[in-house]
Amino acid sequence: MFNQASYQSSRSLNSISHSQFSDGVLVMSITLVLHASPAPLLRALMNLGSAFVGKLPPDDNVIPPPGLTRQEVIRSLKLGIMKQRQRFEHDLAVEAVGERSVEFRPFDAAASSTPHAVSGTVLLEEADHDTTLFTVAARMNAAAEVNSSSSNANGSSATGTARVERTASAARALSKKDAETLLSDFLSSLSSNLFALFDRSSEIDELVLKELADYFRAATTSPSDHEVALIEKARTFANKPWRRSAGSVREQVEYFRALSNDGPWGKATSVVDAGAAQVVARCWHLLSYARNEIHASKQGKTPTLRLNTAVPNSHSTLQLVEMNLPGASNRAFACKWTWRRTPDGAFELAVTSVQDLAEGSETRSTMAAVESGKSSANVILGELRSLYVVQPLATNVCRVTMCGQGVAKGWIPKLAMDYASKNFLGFVDKARDTFERSGKDVDAELRGAFPRPPSMDDLGVEQREVMNRCRALDSEISDWTSLKTSFAMVQMWLHKAPAKRGERSIGWGKAACTLDCSARVALAWQQDFCSRQRMVVCEQMGHPARLVVKRTTLHDQTLAMIKTFPFPLQDREFVVRQVSCTLDGTFLYAIASVDDDVVVDYGMSGSPVRGSSKGLVKFTPTETDPNQCSLELYQYFDAGGWIPAFVANRLIPLVLEVAQESRMAFQRDDEVDEMERNELAGVIEHRQQVYDGVEVELMKRVQGELGSIKEEDFNEFESSDHLVKVQGILVEGSSVLVGRATTLVDASIAELAAWELARMSRVNMHRHADRNGLQRELKKMNEHQMLFHLGIQLPVPGIRPRQLVTRVVWKWAEGKDELTIFCDNVKHEAFPDREGSERISNTNMIKYKKEESASGVAQTNVIWTQQVDIGESIPKWIVIREGLRHFSYLSTIRKRHDESSAIDAASNLRLVTMIQNHDGDYSEREEEILEGGRKMLEVFEQQESKELKMSSRTTQAKMAFKDGQSHAYGWSSAVVRASPAQVLAHAWDTFGRFNNFEGTLEQTLDEDGEHDKLLYLKKKVPNPFDDRDFLSRIVWRKRASGYIFVSVPELSDARPLSSDVVRAKYPSMLKMTSTSDGLTQLDYIVRPDMGGSVPLWLARSLMGSSLAWVTEIQQFFGGLRALGDWDAKDGEAVGELLVTKTDAEKHHGKGETRAGARVRASMEKYKGLRELGEKHDWFKALLTKVVENKLRPAGDSKTKLCNMSVKHANVIGGALASCIAANLTAHAAVDEWILRYPAMRELEREYVWFRPMMDTVAQRLLESVGWGLKMRLYTGASLSTMDLFSDLYMIYTYATTGQQGVALSLAIMVGLCLGGQCLLVWLQTRKGPKLVMLKELLIVLSGMKPGIDAMRVAGGNEQAKNAAISPDMELATTRCIEMVSESVPGTLLQVHSLLIVKSDGGNFGKAALASIIVSALTTGFGAAITSFDFDVNPQRRRDEPDFYGYIPDAASSRTLIFFFMIINSALLLLVRSVSFALLVMAGGRWVLVYLVSDMGLYVTYKILRRDFWHWIPLEGAASVVESVLERLLVKVLVDFTGVIQFRAAGEMGGAWFTFSTVVTLAVSFISTHFYYASLEENEEGVMMEGDAWMMVGGLSAGWICFFTAFLLIMKSGFRGTFFSLQTGHAWVKSFFVDYEEDRIKMFVHGQNQKQWASIRDDVKEYTLDNWERWEEEKPPWFNGAFKASVDEDMIPAGSREGGRRRSSLGDILFGGSEAAQVVPVGGGI
């Protein structure tokens, strides 16, 4: 039985239960629940105690918790030692006292009375669910109180800790606040470490929820009278005048609002995919870990409370929730929750505010608890009253309705109130999201719970009247006209009712089909008007609304729908009553329009035309199959308004579409077809047949007519499938075509014959409909004979339809190794000639011959010969096309039964066994061939080679020429996921299916040995070149670590040279080497000689296709891997495959795009992709849209993975292109794309390979499209060039108008900009070729360097060999150089010049204004894009989630926030330039005073906070110079451009960034005042004083508005970074102290040691302890650059290099190709 008291005690939040400071002694305690029993907790405490002592326990004493290894625990303890040393100057001893208590005290007893000594006790009390109530009480000597004003209140824990460290280290007395900070940090660290070790939050939540659900489900007690009264009062909330909220009619959660005398009310309702008791349990479970985490994330860093107190022996509990409202005081809501269960199984929960409770002892005690529970006296107590109704619909489905009101009291901003209101109703949406399951499964469950409808006699009077009115539709109309539809399995008819004068046009329709479900289930589907699947269809068809207005019973509902009608018609609204019943075993469903006075609230604007409708659907069970029924639909509709009769008739298919929806909801086409084929195959295989004279005569006639045609009479036709040979005979001037198609199919004869004979299968019916077929009918004569009627419409205007009637007979040959199907023309009364159609002639014969197979897979050779005459006046091209299209069916059958993977796998296994067991001798000739292969590699390595760009980046390739020879050597290499023996078996398998390449004319083994064979190969070559043949001897041999495979040209008398074929040579060598991780490294050398007169340039250009063999091998074995075995490397390989063009694109099917054909071919090749496609039928559509990469506005989809459809996949896949266009790098684009769509986030969590695959695809797409890299190049280059040329123009203008000083200054600035970029180029390229440096310098001088840099970053360029820094760092540096040296001072100079001109009586020039605006916008763009690119970088977001990630994930928000960032920087630059220019004009002394005071204050602030040193690792005077320059440059950039990136702790810091920006705005007004105050009497200023104030005020106000908008749009959790007091040294130390990942911890080595001197010993110890492990594991970051950054004493003696020293700035930042690895991920650029 569930115990509410136990529930309350086990859900307490981590909280400080006691804190007392007296006489210099602080006592503090913390209580929380830990998820382990006392025994393992006691062991963990002793282990952690070793960390407090500063030494590790023996390995045998370290018992790891579940899920952790001993090594992981030891590493955690080492971190504990390092962190503990930073808190106190003494070590702690830990001692167990019994089995439930632990004491800790100073390790040295003499230290117990010293200042800062800590001691205490830990108590362990066993609790439910294998948990422990953990209480730790600690005592610390603070020595004495000191003036607390000396404390520096700090929001940053890192900074606060540093300050307390200084105090502790000096053995000074601590204030109460300092002591509480230090001891609280110690207790929190202890409890959080233990909690993390044994965390089972999700498991505990689920256990408690299950107990709660069982409690609610089984409870038999009744609520008290008082509780019933509270619930009855809450039920009145549902009677408010509710109005639907705008936009919620098509949402999964419907929202309503109501206005009454007591204020606004809200209501939300939704279907939740869980049992009613489960939902009630989650609602009641206020203090679950999950809900506490959500509460904490929403409230930010401000601590707020959530308390729960159960009322014993009742149906009630008391809850207190405190909320942090933006811009207002915190609000607390104290309520009494009461529940009961109604007789129909529904749950009702009433939430009553404590202010509404009657006066009494309970109320007074409740209010006292509330007052004591509030976090502070300033918290305002609000009111909350609501009603929850949870109505069960099925076992695991319920409807949740919540209505209520929240009164926050006091004054709060409207924005905050809207936020609180949404959060108030958020439980319904959260419950829906938490329990969401597949909509298909939920719909099925609801149908299973659908009760049997009443009989006709049991209906009420009104219900019977509706039913009878609709039943009349069945008999009212008799003259129905058949409708041609695109629905193959649905028949439709139309009744053309003549329109009467003055009356509106009406439509009558009828539909019929067979459903693959029972009649009761079909009725349940029809009755569930707003099921998940039908709502999806409604959304896909664009209908604005679909809802249930009134639900009397499940069999009697009032429904409303707004349908979109074709333009120019208005949308139509239909409001109907729905009634269902049974009659004589048939299920009836009737709908009839209600009166026009029924008004439906859709929560949307617009006035659709009200139409009327009535209809009847009859579901009749079939006698043969209980899981099938027939559907008959009769529909009458009046669309309203006036529309022409022909339009009304054309709308009939739209009205009858529900029949197709019903069929598709339950269709089992594949299953039904397979059952029919299996039955037919059984008859063919096992039933003895007897043929009459007519049948024998038909077979003789067809055999004689088609079997006598000679092979040489046929002409080759081009086939879309090179494995299907197509031939034909077409007599000139005749419409007769004789065709033949031949192929090998991996299936038995009976199976293939059944496919052909099942002509009325559903797949054939769909295929017929897709090709605009007319009639398709069949009459079975006996088991081996049938009559088949086909009507077709040729795709040529003006040509009459064709019809065909044939007799089909099949017969086995003797021995049952061959079966033939004979078809010939026949006239039969069952299928008379149709008027307006022309009969065509068709005779065909299909032979199925059994083929022997060593693989065990049944194989059949199919020969299909056909003679067809489709009538006169048919163009020749139509005759050929229709014939080829008919033969394409054979290709479809071949692909459907393709077992190539199984056949090749069996062959590979057989050959691997042969290879591993081989011990044959090698002849002298064979040894010579093998030696020649080895020498080919040596020759290649001696040549100067150049890299080749392969279609797949997983393959490396080079090409080299040997002096004096005209044929090139080619080399390629790749890693294959297979053993060397498997790779060799693959290469040795000459006749493997994977070798069935298009264009192979002949492939024969003239000699076949175990390790030596002679292969003849003949290939077709495109015109105008002759075909080529090859005769090669191939030999393989085992090596120490793999195998070698050599092919050399050979001469043979059996294969003489031919005049019509050119003999080519293809010497090659494949070396297979086993790697340490069980893979195979391939090295392939080839030197092709195509022979004949092939141009040299063409032969060389074909080298890439020759070298791609290793890629094909890699893809072959990658394609064999199951989805469950995939890792990141598989994802990258598949990504490469998806963006590589394939032959399948040349023959893409009808309605299939080239991208779709490529994806289809990829899924056929890769087993893992096929498995995923079978699991998610929409995955192919997703990849197709991704690969298409068409730039379009990104759609929105909040669908979860379980409810994805092809429609959603198209929207999501198509959105990647816009993400690529909006981001600098492909990784950032994929990150935005995944974050935007919940389904993609789920895919990423489920499959480790998904993001690497998408990263690879996005990178290749970015490189290939014109709006990718080129757009970045042109955008960046055009902005920089435009700014450069505008400056050059202004230099010319100033020089020619007498302002030579201004012109010279501006020229110097431009020169400094170019000079700075040239210096950067020199630093980047000084160790590389001089030609590269010259090229880069020319790029600088052209003004295109920013654009080129952007293109390189977007292209994913790796850091070049000998380059100093990575491309993204180079781009950021270039931008900063441009802003500091040219943009900012240039704008300031031009503004000052304009003001001077104005003061001298001149006029503002348009060119000058344009130049200023261009400079401001260019600077704004540079500042914005720098911050934007750093923030959206996925790696930085993962490494520093507290700093990076402020830019929202939604595309529209990203665009808007980027625009605001540009405008912010531009406005700040303009207002700063105007005010600075005015200050200069007021007098130079003011400029000097301001600069000295502003910069001096900033530097002083940095010095006082021990934050002067910059993170770049320099020493001595260089460190001083660099720190001063960097601080000043960053200050200038922030003051003039407001670069958001520089709010980082390693640069300016958040708090000073905000302070400096505010001061900048204030100085603008002060400068304006000083300027006009400095003017002499009657002296005119540069402009009217009012205009100046308006300009400065307008620019400042604009900046404030845009920056406020920026703050509102950014993610709220990052607003605190603008006020952070974290210092640079705290930020640097946080890498090592706060992070667990080695890569990030070791960032400290790349930072200035002055910033982490206090933890140097810990860093040294950690580095020494892990160095050997890193050398063994070789992580990517453990490279030469990192090693160069580490001090020698931190490297084990055996790993040190002679004469080594710690790297200088040049070594760290500009010293090698790997140097950028040590640059920190945040805090500075």
Side-chain angles (χ1 to χ4, degrees), residues 1432-1501:
V1432 299
N1433 184 287
Q1435 187 63 53
R1436 288 186 168 89
R1437 287 190 168 195
R1438 287 190 290 269
D1439 289 345
E1440 290 193 78
D1442 293 333
F1443 184 79
Y1444 291 111
Y1446 61 87
I1447 293 176
D1449 302 324
S1452 57
S1453 299
R1454 285 195 171 199
T1455 302
L1456 201 57
I1457 205 169
F1458 183 60
F1459 171 75
F1460 287 157
M1461 291 166 70
I1462 294 175
I1463 300 302
N1464 284 336
S1465 294
L1467 288 175
L1468 189 63
L1469 176 59
L1470 289 175
V1471 70
R1472 181 70 166 167
S1473 298
V1474 170
S1475 62
F1476 208 84
L1478 290 176
L1479 194 61
V1480 170
M1481 296 173 68
R1485 67 183 186 281
W1486 294 117
V1487 177
L1488 184 61
V1489 169
Y1490 169 65
L1491 290 177
V1492 171
S1493 58
D1494 188 33
M1495 291 295 182
L1497 183 62
Y1498 172 58
V1499 173
T1500 302
Y1501 169 79

Side-chain angles (χ1 to χ4, degrees), residues 1389-1399 1404-1405 1408-1409 1412:
L1389 180 64
Q1390 292 183 72
V1391 169
H1392 179 262
S1393 176
L1394 278 177
L1395 295 180
I1396 291 293
V1397 170
K1398 182 64 178 175
S1399 66
F1404 288 101
L1409 283 174
I1412 291 173

Side-chain angles (χ1 to χ4, degrees), residues 1524-1694:
V1524 170
L1525 289 177
E1526 195 281 336
R1527 298 304 183 193
L1528 295 180
L1529 289 176
V1530 167
K1531 182 70 168 61
V1532 170
L1533 280 176
V1534 170
D1535 287 350
F1536 279 87
T1537 66
V1539 182
I1540 302 298
Q1541 173 67 21
F1542 289 142
R1543 79 194 190 285
E1547 301 298 339
M1548 180 171 278
W1552 195 269
F1553 178 93
T1554 303
F1555 172 75
S1556 181
T1557 306
V1558 172
V1559 168
T1560 295
L1561 295 179
V1563 167
S1564 301
F1565 292 93
I1566 295 172
S1567 299
T1568 305
H1569 169 74
F1570 269 97
Y1571 169 72
Y1572 284 98
S1574 68
L1575 295 178
E1576 299 293 338
E1577 188 175 354
N1578 298 325
E1579 182 182 356
E1580 292 188 9
V1582 294
M1583 65 181 73
M1584 297 295 294
E1585 185 173 358
D1587 294 341
W1589 283 108
M1590 185 176 296
M1591 177 189 295
V1592 174
L1595 291 172
S1596 300
W1599 183 90
I1600 292 172
C1601 291
F1602 279 103
F1603 192 73
T1604 302
F1606 167 82
L1607 291 176
L1608 291 175
I1609 295 176
M1610 71 179 291
K1611 292 181 182 178
S1612 58
F1614 293 90
R1615 292 176 189 141
T1617 59
F1618 287 89
F1619 308 98
S1620 172
L1621 291 171
Q1622 187 182 31
T1623 60
H1625 62 82
W1627 165 70
V1628 169
K1629 286 188 289 188
S1630 70
F1631 289 138
F1632 181 78
V1633 174
D1634 296 337
Y1635 289 87
E1636 300 294 332
E1637 187 179 349
D1638 290 340
R1639 177 179 62 87
I1640 303 179
K1641 279 181 171 297
M1642 293 298 98
F1643 276 148
V1644 295
H1645 287 294
Q1647 320 305 309
N1648 194 322
Q1649 282 204 17
K1650 298 181 181 66
Q1651 295 190 317
W1652 51 279
S1654 61
I1655 60 170
R1656 190 182 188 283
D1657 291 341
D1658 295 334
V1659 173
K1660 176 181 177 180
E1661 181 179 347
Y1662 189 86
T1663 305
L1664 288 171
D1665 287 347
N1666 291 279
W1667 192 274
E1668 291 182 2
R1669 176 172 62 86
W1670 295 332
E1671 286 191 326
E1672 180 180 347
E1673 296 176 356
K1674 294 182 174 58
W1677 56 267
F1678 190 69
N1679 51 32
F1682 168 74
K1683 296 175 183 177
S1685 69
V1686 181
D1687 284 346
E1688 188 169 342
D1689 65 327
M1690 296 188 185
I1691 301 176

